[in-house]
Each structure stands twice: as C-alpha cells, then as structure tokens.
Amino acid sequence: MFSERFVLADRVLNVAPSPTLAVNAKAKALRAAGADILNFSVGEPDLSTPAHVCEAGKRAIEEGRTRYTPAAGILELRQAVCTKLKEEQGWDYQPDDVQISCGGKHGLYNIFQAILNPGDEVLIFAPYWVSYPPMVQLAGGTPVIVPLRQERRFDIDPDVVARYITDKTKAIVLNSPSNPTGAVYSLAALAEVARMALAGGWLVITDDMYEELFYGEGRVPHILHADPRLQGQTVLSNGVSKSFAMTGWRIGYSAGPREVIRAMNKIQSQSTSNPAAPSQYAALAALTGPQDFPRQMREAFLPRRAYFVDALEAIAGVSCVAPMGAFYVFPNFSAYYGKTFNGRVIDGSVALADYFLSEAQVASVPGAAFGADDFIRFSFATSLDTIKQGMARIKQALAALR
Ligand SMILES: *Cc1c(COP(=O)(O)O)cnc(C)c1O
C-alpha cells in the first residue's frame, strides 16, 4: 500500500470529489440488483445526434480525415464559429480568435489554465455548475462563491457581487441559462456586472452552453449585449454537446481576445494536441447545416418542463422557480429537512436525494453538489411518462416523512 500523501499531488488532494458520485454509484448498484430506477440525474439530451451530423462524421472517417489537426482546431470549423457569432449576435471574430476544444468543459479548463496565477480570485455564482470551482483550483486560482437567491429567480444582484470584489479579483464566470437553476440573468444585472468588470479590468467568461435552450422570447440576454466594449476582455465558451445532442463527440469552442486564445492553444498543444478530427467535421455539419434541431428539442422539452414545475409546486412545502432555459428543474425541499424516515434524519440534500433513491427509486442530484443544499436537481431530458411516474413517487416519499 502506498501513502496517498506521499504519492499524490497536493492539487488532487485539495480538490473535493464530486458529491454526486455517491448517489450515482448507489443508483447503478440498485439497478444492477434489478431495481426499477427512474433516472433524473443525467445532464445530457435524451435525443440522438441529428443524422446529417453523424453522416458528416462517418464521411470524415471514410475520406481519411483522421489525422492530427491544428491545435486550435480545423480552420473551417473556427470560421463557422465566427460566422455563427456574426450572424446570430453581430459580433466580429476572426478564426484566430477561436479555439476548438475537447468539449466545452475542456475549453473552460484551458481558459483557467491560461489566465490564472496563484492567489487570483474568480467570482463564481452559486448555485454553480459543478466543475467551475475545481477547475479554478486546478489552475492555482481561488474560487470566490457569490450567492444567488431563489427569491430573485437566481438573477444576479450587483450589490451582492460588489461585496465579493477584492484587489485579487481576476475574472468572473457567467452561465445563462444556468445549469442547475435554468435561470437567465437580466440585461439590467448584466449591465451592472459589465460596469464592474470594465472598472476592475476583469476577464469575463461566459458559459453559453445552453443558449439555444431558452424558453423566453428572442435570444438570451448576454453581457456583450449589455456593453459591447467588453468584448476585448470576454471569453465566450460554448459547444455542440447540448444544442445538437453531441455530448459524446467532445467538441466545444471558445472565442475571445487573441492573446488569451493563443495561450489556450499553447496549453492544448501540450496536452490534448487537438480534438478528434472526425468530431470536428461532425460539429462543422452541425453549425453550418439545418438549424431546426435545437428548436425541435426546445419544443419537446416545453411540456415536460411545464408538467415538472406544476407538479413540484403542487407539493406542500416545495417551491420551484420555472427554468427559463436548459433542461433542469431545481426545486427547494428545505421545508422537509429535519424530518425523519424510520428514525433516520433527512439533514440536507444529500440525505434527501439518497432517500429518494432508496425509497422511491428516483435518482437525482443533491443541491450540495452545486453549492446550494436547499435544492435538488432533476433533469427533464427524459420522457414525460418518466416524469409523471417520478413525480408520483416523490410526492409519496415526501408524505412518508415524519
Ligand atoms: C454540459 C455543460 C458544459 C460542457 O459540456 P461539454 O460536454 O464538455 O461540451 C459546460 N457548461 C455547462 C453549464 C454544462 O452543463
């Protein structure tokens, strides 16, 4: 047996393992034992990748486009990203301002690696996507968690942000629509953040992964709409994983100041070299082909979202803000904390999610994973029928608590 302290790096020992893993492992074990588990824990669309995208990937393989590509990604795809940003948003970018990465996640990882020095602080809103704090830590930075409130529908409160600013603030992460809350930040709040970012010289990182899954009118408000002057210090992060149901292809993209993108390319060239070539051609087909897929997905999600929110709100003590984007509901169950089942106290989201799993055969993700213990995340990237069954079970399980 080796000593972990001796063998493993501090950077690994200092990063907390995901609290979702315990629930996940238990769900798998129960399923293997034959239990009828309804799974609401998945963070990916339940639709298949569009056929024309798969065809483009196959064609790339058949035509031998199976070698290394430039570290930044193939020029055609970077150009397609620029065209998309210009046509949809009116923003000007050149291919040299764009990096293709192994998923949006690795793009974000590259950004933090490229910009952070020890002690640099990054403002992250909670509830947050699980990977932001560890990514910042792995790059030597310090995550500074800024709370968002359910009462404000998880919109940014600029006065609260102001309290977390120090002379070490280096960057801020925006994620709208948000995973896990589904919240969309208001243009007014973004304008205030833009003002602070310009004054402080921070880098603004926008994780726009769910931009296509917006349930409001028009396009999602973006900080570059609030103040276009910010473009010179903003890095956009996006990808095809969610919008084209391509999670397994591993293609993301970032666009931003050329110096930052160049630094990110340096890191990519010394780590992954480049994302898989056939996947890049498939993503090219996704961005340049018919754009009706995200709309179809949105339409498929609408009735599920409506049912989920109504059913949750109908349960005594449960409240749920209707998500304005993405495919998650994030209800507040804190009224049930402190209650017991067979003498076992439900003391928070981990215990409640565990209870839902063992007593109701419903898998979900405890809010603690997102820095918000009052809540539990359920994905509605699953059939309406599954949602109806799941809600009936949840309701019954909650009623059994004393
Ligand atoms: C899924 C997701 C990503 C990254 O997805 P990839 O599969 O790495 O492309 C990034 N941010 C958020 C908020 C996500 O939910």
Side-chain angles (χ1 to χ4, degrees):
M1 278 300 284
F2 65 78
S3 149
E4 279 200 352
R5 280 276 153 212
F6 182 67
V7 175
L8 301 180
D10 291 347
R11 87 175 70 83
V12 176
L13 297 170
N14 292 340
V15 165
S18 164
T20 59
L21 288 186
V23 175
N24 230 325
K26 194 161 172 194
K28 281 203 180 123
L30 287 171
R31 215 174 229 172
D36 162 35
I37 305 286
L38 300 178
N39 193 358
F40 297 97
S41 67
V42 255
E44 60 185 343
D46 56 330
L47 290 86
S48 305
T49 308
H52 73 279
V53 173
C54 295
E55 282 308 319
K58 285 188 226 167
R59 209 176 319 119
I61 294 172
E62 282 157 14
E63 292 174 359
R65 283 173 278 153
T66 52
R67 298 178 176 268
Y68 290 132
T69 76
I74 56 173
L75 180 62
E76 301 95 303
L77 182 52
R78 284 182 286 136
Q79 182 59 59
V81 170
C82 297
T83 304
K84 170 189 158 70
L85 292 172
K86 181 68 184 173
E87 284 178 358
E88 293 180 359
Q89 304 280 19
W91 302 330
D92 287 306
Y93 287 93
Q94 300 302 315
D96 283 350
D97 311 327
V98 174
Q99 177 186 73
I100 311 302
S101 53
C102 305
K105 184 182 268 184
H106 203 256
L108 288 161
Y109 186 88
N110 287 337
I111 295 172
F112 293 126
Q113 290 290 324
I115 65 162
L116 295 179
N117 281 315
D120 284 348
E121 295 179 353
V122 179
L123 301 175
I124 295 170
F125 294 102
Y128 46 73
W129 184 49
V130 285
S131 294
Y132 301 138
M135 277 186 187
V136 167
Q137 285 174 306
L138 286 170
T142 305
V144 173
I145 307 302
V146 181
L148 298 176
R149 289 173 51 234
Q150 183 184 5
E151 293 72 26
R152 292 181 66 95
R153 309 185 76 78
F154 302 106
D155 191 8
I156 295 170
D157 183 340
D159 293 336
V160 174
V161 179
R163 276 185 243 140
Y164 290 84
I165 300 173
T166 73
D167 56 2
K168 296 205 179 80
T169 307
K170 176 84 174 259
I172 185 167
V173 180
L174 303 175
N175 176 215
S176 176
S178 149
N179 172 6
T181 64
V184 164
Y185 308 141
S186 65
L187 197 60
L190 289 170
E192 284 302 301
V193 174
R195 196 182 49 72
M196 290 186 262
L198 284 168
W202 317 332
L203 205 64
V204 177
I205 299 160
T206 71
D207 181 350
D208 304 328
M209 192 52 78
Y210 293 97
E211 59 158 1
E212 301 279 3
L213 287 167
F214 175 48
Y215 305 115
E217 293 296 318
R219 297 209 69 84
V220 187
H222 195 280
I223 196 160
L224 292 187
H225 302 150
D227 197 330
R229 286 177 303 165
L230 213 54
Q231 192 176 341
Q233 59 194 73
T234 298
V235 186
L236 313 174
S237 171
N238 205 329
V240 289
S241 296
K242 310 290 160 64
S243 47
F244 287 92
M246 290 178 69
T247 45
W249 296 80
R250 310 307 306 132
I251 296 293
Y253 53 86
S254 310
R258 195 161 299 179
E259 302 72 28
V260 176
I261 296 295
R262 204 177 281 146
M264 291 166 61
N265 290 341
K266 202 193 273 187
I267 286 160
Q268 188 149 283
S269 76
Q270 299 290 17
S271 49
T272 59
S273 286
N274 60 262
S279 293
Q280 294 191 58
Y281 287 99
L284 178 62
L287 292 189
T288 57
Q291 296 300 300
D292 42 0
F293 184 80
R295 183 180 46 76
Q296 285 165 7
M297 191 159 44
R298 208 157 50 230
E299 277 164 16
F301 287 162
L302 273 172
R304 306 173 183 182
R305 163 184 177 264
Y307 183 89
F308 228 143
V309 172
D310 290 350
L312 285 162
E313 283 274 324
I315 302 175
V318 179
S319 58
C320 181
V321 176
M324 284 310 292
F327 42 70
Y328 312 98
V329 283
F330 202 56
N332 185 324
F333 287 104
S334 59
Y336 288 86
Y337 296 172
K339 293 187 183 255
T340 59
F341 180 75
N342 286 347
R344 193 157 53 94
V345 183
I346 304 296
D347 60 359
S349 63
V350 173
L352 188 60
D354 195 50
Y355 170 68
F356 286 157
L357 183 59
S358 49
E359 299 303 322
Q361 282 80 52
V362 166
S364 57
V365 184
F370 311 98
D373 197 40
D374 286 351
F375 306 86
I376 288 190
R377 191 191 78 175
F378 297 87
S379 163
F380 52 86
T382 184
S383 72
L384 186 57
D385 200 49
T386 303
I387 295 170
K388 287 183 176 167
Q389 280 186 56
M391 279 314 304
R393 291 187 190 180
I394 294 282
K395 198 172 165 188
Q396 203 177 5
L398 287 173
L401 293 176
R402 289 289 163 262

